[in-house]
Amino acid sequence: MTKKLLFQFDTDPTPSVFDVVVGYDGGADHITGYGGVTPENVGAYVDGTIYTRGGSEKKSTAIFVGGGDMAAGEAVYDAVQKRFFGPFRVSTMLDSNGSNTTAAAGVAIAVKAAGGSVSGKRAVILAGTGPVGMRSAAMLGKEGATVAIVGRSADKAQKAADNIEKRFGIKVEAIEAKSAEDRAKAVAGANLVFSAGAIGLELLAEDVWKAESSIEILVDYNAQPPLGIGGLDAMDKAKERHGKLAIGALGLGGLKLKLHRTLIGKLFEAADQSFDADEIYALAKEMA
């Protein structure tokens, strides 16, 4: 029986242990990880995957692109796709820093909690200039929400907004917020608030969102205390708090892991599949 081989191309010096574990749990028989992968050196790795098997056996080889930097991962992913031609291709997945699967899970659960639609609603993403925040912004925008990303630097926030528009065709507002007071102003009038900041920093105090009548749903991607949104619990999964629905990192984490594992399994169903943000989010909505 042909073994299911997953080749992990990581832009960091060392391949992610997390991605290796989920890869095996998703159904790979063997995983080979390469660190320090770049668009310049990935070609030889890709050649090894596409010239060694033919016919129905080719679907048993797949590529996963990861690492901590989404921009670097996107560049490697594009280089992988350009190496393919005709039948010389294998299925691929991009999930640098877990950004695609994490954002897809968070947005899918939020949309479900909103009754299946966020069209016309205002969504604000605190610390939205990172990969999870940017992916969340794009997914929410495609759902019809009006989206704003908040960052400490106006230039960085605008650069992220420009990248989202270039990559996904979604216009996003950029907001500079250097202080807690600035962030409180940024969420005024918002219907959905996401927090995608770094570990150890509370971005929004409980008394602020509790008093903001427009807020319906809160999503926090940080599982380690202090959480990004005060007053939430990491285990919250559409739990009512002060008349609003709260979603914590562990509350969405179950779907994120199931989604990641399912996608690994799908890589081996055919030799021509590509799973990036759009495809991953579509599956997350089904699974949610």
Side-chain angles (χ1 to χ4, degrees):
M1 184 176 179
T2 305
K3 296 291 186 182
K4 295 176 182 177
L5 306 180
L6 182 64
F7 292 89
Q8 185 178 329
F9 299 160
D10 206 299
T11 57
D12 292 340
T14 304
S16 164
V17 172
F18 181 97
D19 291 337
V20 171
V21 173
V22 180
Y24 278 118
D25 289 346
D29 293 318
H30 187 77
I31 298 174
T32 302
Y34 296 92
V37 178
T38 68
E40 291 72 33
N41 66 21
V42 76
Y45 299 140
V46 176
D47 289 350
T49 70
I50 63 177
Y51 292 125
T52 46
R53 288 171 164 173
S56 62
E57 289 186 338
K58 192 174 287 291
K59 69 180 182 181
S60 294
T61 301
I63 292 171
F64 178 95
V65 177
D69 186 328
M70 176 56 83
E74 287 179 324
V76 168
Y77 198 72
D78 288 343
V80 169
Q81 303 298 326
K82 289 176 182 176
R83 201 75 175 186
F84 297 157
F85 64 96
F88 295 97
R89 63 184 66 244
V90 296
S91 289
T92 56
M93 176 178 170
L94 172 63
D95 198 25
S96 295
N97 206 26
S99 303
N100 277 333
T101 50
T102 300
V107 174
I109 291 175
V111 171
K112 181 182 179 182
S117 174
V118 294
S119 181
K121 294 186 181 295
R122 178 168 175 79
V124 174
I125 304 176
L126 302 174
T129 59
V132 174
M134 291 172 67
R135 284 300 202 248
S136 298
M139 293 168 187
L140 286 162
K142 290 201 167 190
E143 287 284 359
T146 300
V147 186
I149 55 173
V150 180
R152 286 175 294 180
S153 160
D155 288 344
K156 189 174 182 180
Q158 189 58 57
K159 182 179 179 181
D162 292 342
N163 286 340
I164 293 167
E165 183 174 9
K166 181 179 179 181
R167 169 67 177 78
F168 296 98
I170 299 294
K171 284 197 72 69
V172 172
E173 180 185 358
I175 299 176
E176 180 183 66
K178 295 183 177 181
S179 66
E181 291 75 16
D182 291 339
R183 291 189 292 272
K185 291 177 182 177
V187 302
N191 306 118
L192 298 93
V193 176
F194 286 65
S195 176
I199 293 172
L201 179 64
E202 182 181 275
L203 298 175
L204 193 66
E206 181 176 6
D207 60 348
V208 173
W209 63 261
K210 176 183 176 181
E212 185 56 53
S213 61
S214 65
I215 296 176
E216 302 167 16
I217 297 172
L218 301 135
V219 180
D220 193 340
Y221 288 119
N222 183 14
Q224 296 185 28
L227 303 186
I229 300 178
L232 268 63
D233 188 289
M235 292 298 296
D236 287 347
K237 188 173 181 180
K239 179 179 176 62
E240 185 174 342
R241 293 186 180 275
H242 305 304
K244 311 171 195 304
L245 298 179
I247 300 167
L250 299 180
L252 65 88
L255 176 58
K256 181 262 190 292
L257 280 172
K258 289 178 184 177
L259 178 62
H260 192 157
R261 291 170 183 154
T262 300
L263 286 160
I264 295 298
K266 285 185 173 293
L267 287 172
F268 300 112
E269 292 178 359
D272 58 354
Q273 300 189 93
S274 175
F275 296 110
D276 195 351
D278 293 334
E279 298 82 10
I280 291 173
Y281 179 61
L283 181 59
K285 286 189 70 175
E286 290 180 22
M287 296 179 68

